[in-house]
Structures are given as structure tokens and as C-alpha cells.
Amino acid sequence: VHLVESGGGLVQPGGSLRLSCTAAGYEDDYYVIGWFRQAPGKEREKVAGYNIHDRQPWYAEGMKNRFTITADIPKNTVYLQLNNLKPEDTALYLCAAKEGRSIIWWRNHPDYWADGTLVTVAS
């Protein structure tokens, strides 16, 4: 399985970005895919995930009000819409995936990782 991520960049506070992550190599739709992020000097944290088979999104606490995860199933691609961005959202956003339908397992034991895309929020 190979994950290709894009969409990061520099944005002013209050701005928006859309990240995308395309999964290549899954033979069926039994997988979970989504994002973690890691800010400089901080631990990696979960952001949002998507159960492809059940069409079910999941958000870490505090993420749902400004972030939205969606999926284009035929394209094997998920998107993370980041709105009203704040400087504290600055981080490397890492797409990750895991076979199966368990969001919990994905949250704790992703199998595959993209290289990450940097989101910088600054004026």
C-alpha cells in the first residue's frame, strides 16, 4: 500500500487548506485512512479518520468544529478540509491507513504512512 499526500502550504490565520491523500494498493474497501499531525516539539496527535467501507468519519476531540474529512471512494482518496486555521494548527500532517474497519485500531496502530505535508499558519 502506498499513500500519496498533498495540499499543505503557508496560510494566514483564518484561512483554509484542503489536504488530500490517495491510497494505492488496497484490493477492497476494508480500510481506515486519515490524518495525524505533529507540531514542532510536540507529540504526534490524531486529527481525523475515515472508515471507507462504512463511509464513517471520526474526529479527535476538538477537531470537528473546524476540520472536515471526506472521501471519494472511486478515487481511493480522502480529503481533509481545514478551515479557520490558527497558528497552533501549524504542523506536519501525516496521512495514515490501516486495513480493516476499526477506527480504534487505526488510531493506535496505523500500518502505512505518507511522507507528510507541512501546514504553516502565519501572518
Side-chain angles (χ1 to χ4, degrees):
V1 173
H2 184 56
L3 303 179
V4 178
E5 187 177 8
S6 64
L10 173 64
V11 63
Q12 293 185 344
S16 298
L17 284 173
R18 190 177 78 158
L19 310 182
S20 66
C21 183
T22 299
Y26 282 112
E27 296 182 352
D28 54 36
D29 63 355
Y30 286 89
Y31 65 97
V32 178
I33 187 169
W35 275 270
F36 295 71
R37 69 182 184 182
Q38 187 161 19
K42 296 187 176 181
E43 292 188 358
R44 189 169 60 204
E45 63 176 339
K46 307 166 189 66
V47 178
Y50 198 94
N51 177 327
I52 295 296
H53 182 269
D54 296 338
R55 290 11 178 201
Q56 185 65 44
W58 171 87
Y59 297 91
E61 188 171 345
M63 301 293 180
K64 190 175 183 178
N65 55 339
R66 295 183 296 118
F67 299 167
T68 303
I69 189 168
T70 57
D72 186 333
I73 305 298
K75 293 183 178 180
N76 297 317
T77 299
V78 290
Y79 303 95
L80 185 67
Q81 179 69 38
L82 309 172
N83 294 328
N84 190 22
L85 284 161
K86 303 176 180 181
E88 51 265 40
D89 294 318
T90 294
L92 183 67
Y93 284 69
L94 298 144
C95 178
K98 185 173 184 67
E99 185 175 352
R101 296 166 58 188
S102 172
I103 290 284
I104 295 175
W105 274 101
W106 168 81
R107 291 199 313 241
N108 293 296
H109 306 285
D111 292 330
Y112 305 101
W113 294 88
D115 292 336
T117 188
L118 185 61
V119 172
T120 304
V121 185
S123 55

